[in-house]
Structure formats: structure tokens, C-alpha cells
């Protein structure tokens, strides 16, 4: 999807800062870093409507930030390998939202 750190930073800035759903997407990514989970569990843990969680997961997946393991209802989501390798960029962008990834 994105080829280098500069493009990843642009995508994260747009998806997390440039859209209304950015703070929710950041929470999803942080939760998935703690441990992989399916959309149902993620929606319960974050207090989101299931369809809302699915929408944000789909956006994150289309942009190469999360990967889906499995195909059915219980498919588990994880941060993509490329995002995990460049997690420091996500932490930098998170600080723009007033979120300290080391504390939250």
C-alpha cells in the first residue's frame, strides 16, 4: 500500500488527524497493539457500535494499517507488520491528537 515511512506518515496524518473518525481509529490501533481481537470484542471494549467498529477496521485495512486473520465473523485483526515496524511514526502522530502512547 505505502512504500516508505514518508507515505506512512501522510496516511496516518490523514486517517487520524484529517478525518472525524481519527480519534476512534487511533484507539482501535492502540487496542490492537495490546492484543489481536475481532470486531465484536473490539466494539465492546471501546464502547462502539459494531458497524462503526467494522467501518473503521475496513478503512484501516484498505490503507494497509491492519491485517485480518481469517475470513468469517470471528476474524481477528492485528496491526500490519509494516506498521509495527514503524510504530514510532504512529506515536508521533498520536501526540498531535494529545494522546501519549507511553501513558495511555
Amino acid at each position: 500500500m505505502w512504500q516508505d515511512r514518508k507515505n506512512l506518515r501522510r496516511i496516518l496524518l490523514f486517517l487520524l488527524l484529517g478525518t472525524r473518525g481519527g480519534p476512534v481509529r487511533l484507539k482501535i490501533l492502540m487496542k490492537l497493539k495490546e492484543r489481536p481481537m475481532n470486531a465484536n470484542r473490539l466494539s465492546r471494549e471501546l464502547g462502539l457500535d459494531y458497524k462503526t467498529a467494522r467501518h473503521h477496521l475496513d478503512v484501516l485495512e484498505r490503507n494497509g494499517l491492519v491485517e485480518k486473520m481469517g475470513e468469517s465473523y470471528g476474524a481477528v485483526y492485528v496491526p500490519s507488520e509494516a506498521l509495527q515496524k514503524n510504530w514510532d511514526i504512529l506515536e508521533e502522530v498520536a501526540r498531535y491528537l494529545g494522546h501519549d502512547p507511553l501513558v495511555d
Side-chain angles (χ1 to χ4, degrees), residues 52-91:
T52 300
R54 289 278 320 141
H55 165 74
H56 290 297
L57 286 166
D58 289 344
V59 169
L60 293 169
E61 185 179 19
R62 275 195 313 269
N63 286 280
L65 299 174
V66 299
E67 297 172 353
K68 181 167 57 169
M69 312 295 272
E71 291 299 322
S72 66
Y73 170 78
V76 173
Y77 291 85
V78 297
S80 68
E81 186 176 328
L83 178 59
Q84 290 180 49
K85 288 179 182 176
N86 295 287
W87 195 261
D88 61 303
I89 298 172
L90 175 70
E91 291 174 343

Side-chain angles (χ1 to χ4, degrees), residues 40-60:
N40 186 43
R41 178 155 187 157
L42 190 62
S43 67
R44 281 185 289 140
E45 289 206 13
L46 293 177
L48 299 172
D49 178 76
Y50 175 78
K51 287 183 180 182
T52 300
R54 289 278 320 141
H55 165 74
H56 290 297
L57 286 166
D58 289 344
V59 169
L60 293 169

Side-chain angles (χ1 to χ4, degrees), residues 21-38:
V24 172
R25 291 185 188 124
L26 176 61
K27 288 178 185 177
I28 288 172
L29 290 170
M30 296 305 226
K31 197 54 103 164
L32 293 177
K33 183 166 176 29
E34 290 175 17
R35 76 169 187 259
M37 57 184 76
N38 67 21

